[in-house]
Amino acid sequence: RKVHACASHLQQVNSGGVINAVAYAVASHEALQHAAGCDVLFCCAADPAARLVVACLAVTHLRLLIDVGTGVFFGDGPWRHAGAEVRLVYPDNCIADLGGVAQFARAYNTLRHPRLPARPQTEWHQQRSGSLATLNHLAAGAAVQMLADAVCERITESTGQVIELGEDGVLRVTPLVVGRTPADDQPCFCRYRGAGDRGLSSDAMAQRGTGSA
């Protein structure tokens, strides 16, 4: 499995570290229990439902979240649009304060009705044209730097950046600022801040309430 292969590689890179491979869906009880014991949550999931679960877990269990996403999409002409988004979210905010989760409605319905097929309406290769290794490395490097800056208290508030590779080959970085880039089409889960496992229950998710507690 990919999880065990990744863990094996990380163990080779850092032989003195302790690597625990948790090969479960992120919404499963086993995965949530392991994630709740972490100080920092990194989310690099392509699936919007998984991304939503991690974002909610960061709020309910007061964890620092670093959310990373990349994509290469078809353009109108011969060139393709490529970009990345890297967000660092402190527990006093939630992911909705920095743009939210893409395809939120589908993610929410998948979590509310897990027995229904989660198959997207279109295949992934019809939505995007693949990935770019150099862009992935750039996004991962930015995420690790954000963590380092948070540890040394150079970054003390939730923040993020959008990295775009233009048709001219020039990289452009646009900052994400809390209050300036909210997700107006989806709720804020800050009311469940510090609620623990109770905040992740289906009843709490069903309320989809907004506002802060």
Side-chain angles (χ1 to χ4, degrees):
R1 290 184 179 184
K2 184 186 294 186
V3 172
H4 294 288
C6 182
S8 177
H9 173 72
L10 291 174
Q11 196 69 73
Q12 293 177 19
V13 173
N14 183 10
S15 59
V18 178
I19 309 297
N20 295 318
V22 184
Y24 292 93
V26 69
S28 68
H29 174 75
E30 293 84 357
L32 290 174
Q33 289 301 307
H34 278 83
C38 298
D39 295 322
V40 180
L41 299 175
F42 272 84
C43 181
C44 307
D47 179 68
R51 193 175 292 273
L52 179 58
V53 169
V54 178
C56 290
L57 180 68
V59 173
T60 58
H61 289 72
L62 303 178
R63 298 295 186 264
L64 177 67
L65 169 66
I66 298 181
D67 182 87
V68 184
T70 65
V72 181
F73 301 92
F74 296 105
D76 297 330
W79 300 104
R80 298 175 180 178
H81 301 295
E85 194 169 86
V86 185
R87 295 175 286 187
L88 182 149
V89 187
Y90 278 100
D92 53 347
N93 294 112
C94 78
I95 200 74
D97 294 325
L98 286 169
V101 175
Q103 303 180 58
F104 174 83
R106 181 166 74 87
Y108 177 79
N109 289 330
T110 298
L111 296 176
R112 290 290 295 148
H113 307 286
R115 296 181 182 179
L116 296 179
R119 186 180 182 85
Q121 295 180 351
T122 56
E123 298 293 340
W124 72 266
H125 55 77
Q126 295 177 311
Q127 297 176 323
R128 57 188 189 274
S129 60
S131 62
L132 190 61
T134 51
L135 184 64
N136 294 342
H137 293 165
L138 183 64
V144 173
Q145 184 60 51
M146 278 188 176
L147 175 61
D149 288 339
V151 170
C152 69
E153 299 183 350
R154 183 155 55 181
I155 294 180
T156 58
E157 297 179 346
S158 299
T159 186
Q161 53 189 243
V162 176
I163 305 169
E164 296 179 282
L165 178 60
E167 295 183 359
D168 54 3
V170 177
L171 284 172
R172 295 176 175 83
V173 180
T174 303
L176 294 173
V177 181
V178 171
R180 297 183 188 175
T181 50
D184 297 329
D185 61 337
Q186 55 190 268
C188 172
F189 289 94
C190 288
R191 67 182 300 173
Y192 302 114
R193 184 183 299 124
D197 294 340
R198 178 175 56 84
L200 291 174
S201 69
S202 58
D203 290 339
M205 289 288 290
Q207 296 179 35
R208 296 179 61 181
T210 59
S212 299

